[in-house]
Amino acid sequence: GGKAIFYYIADERVDFRKLIRILADTFKVRIEMKQIGARQEAGRIGGIGPCGRPLCCSSWMSKFVSVGTGSARLQDLSMNPQKLAGQWAKLKCCLNFEVDSYAEAQKQLPPKDVTLETKDGSYYYFKPDILARTITYSTDKNIPANLVTISASRAFEIIALNKQGIRVDALDPDSDDTPESEYGDIIGQDSLTRFDKNRKKKKKKRKPGDPS
């Protein structure tokens, strides 16, 4: 009860000398002003994060490391500010938690600028699943077209064969090119002419006097 701490947020340094004297005379205790950042404020207020657990900064974190957008890019996350920002309107601290694991996994993936050559055409690096070590390739550089997902080991194998001048038959030799094998003949399950059937005519009620 001998000291009162006031926490505040400000973009620049604030001179509180006059205010401190007023507060000290009012509360009859020693006054201390502490400037904190947005993360420290969230830690003091508390709350529930999007993961459904208490905020890390209010439950166990004691040191706050700067978080940059590079952490999100390394993890191939969508650069959507609403998804990347926490309740304090800054980047989430948890973006730093798995950066090292993603950086190590990235080293085991083929380069993004390498094109895979098959007998049917060229495939371009489209999207990776970093931790699963799989890459999705597209036949178009800019848009997803004829997407094929293969493992990183298979991609390295094709790259080595391409360097020898060999074009593989397909990116994934175990895949079946006929979509019916995966999805079935969905269209053929119903006849396209099922709507052309003659509708039954409604029977008209006979009026008295009409011939039967």
Side-chain angles (χ1 to χ4, degrees), residues 105-111 125 128-135 152 156:
Q106 282 272 27
K107 299 177 182 178
Q108 302 175 8
L109 298 180
Y125 196 106
D129 189 333
I130 300 174
L131 297 184
R133 293 193 64 204
T134 60
I135 307 97
F156 281 118

Side-chain angles (χ1 to χ4, degrees), residues 82-97:
Q82 294 181 345
K83 293 182 179 181
L84 298 180
Q87 296 181 6
W88 47 95
K90 302 287 184 180
L91 293 175
K92 298 175 184 176
C93 299
C94 56
L95 291 176
N96 282 344
F97 293 171

Side-chain angles (χ1 to χ4, degrees), residues 29-181:
V29 294
R30 186 162 61 91
I31 303 299
E32 183 177 344
M33 308 295 292
K34 277 192 175 181
Q35 184 176 1
I36 60 175
R39 286 188 172 85
Q40 287 86 348
E41 180 192 21
R44 299 201 64 82
I45 296 176
I48 303 298
C51 58
R53 299 175 60 87
L55 297 179
C56 297
C57 53
S58 64
S59 56
W60 61 271
M61 284 185 69
S62 58
K63 295 182 179 180
F64 298 94
V65 181
S66 61
V67 184
T69 55
S71 300
R73 290 192 179 94
L74 186 62
Q75 298 173 67
D76 198 33
L77 298 177
S78 172
M79 301 305 292
N80 186 340
Q82 294 181 345
K83 293 182 179 181
L84 298 180
Q87 296 181 6
W88 47 95
K90 302 287 184 180
L91 293 175
K92 298 175 184 176
C93 299
C94 56
L95 291 176
N96 282 344
F97 293 171
E98 298 181 349
V99 169
D100 294 338
S101 299
Y102 275 86
E104 188 64 28
Q106 282 272 27
K107 299 177 182 178
Q108 302 175 8
L109 298 180
K112 294 182 179 182
D113 56 349
V114 175
T115 303
L116 303 187
E117 302 293 343
T118 68
K119 293 181 179 179
D120 295 332
S122 302
Y123 283 83
Y124 305 94
Y125 196 106
F126 180 69
K127 183 176 179 61
D129 189 333
I130 300 174
L131 297 184
R133 293 193 64 204
T134 60
I135 307 97
T136 300
Y137 287 88
S138 169
T139 54
D140 192 283
K141 287 184 178 181
N142 303 316
I143 61 174
N146 304 314
L147 299 179
V148 178
T149 302
I150 59 175
S151 64
S153 58
R154 172 61 177 169
F156 281 118
E157 178 185 348
I158 296 175
I159 292 173
L161 292 173
N162 289 162
K163 288 182 178 179
Q164 300 175 16
I166 302 174
R167 288 174 174 257
V168 296
D169 295 330
L171 293 189
D172 187 359
D174 299 327
S175 66
D176 190 350
D177 294 335
T178 56
E180 290 78 12
S181 63

Side-chain angles (χ1 to χ4, degrees), residues 203-212:
K203 293 182 179 180
K204 295 182 179 179
K205 293 183 179 180
R206 288 188 300 172
K207 297 181 180 179
D210 288 347
S212 57

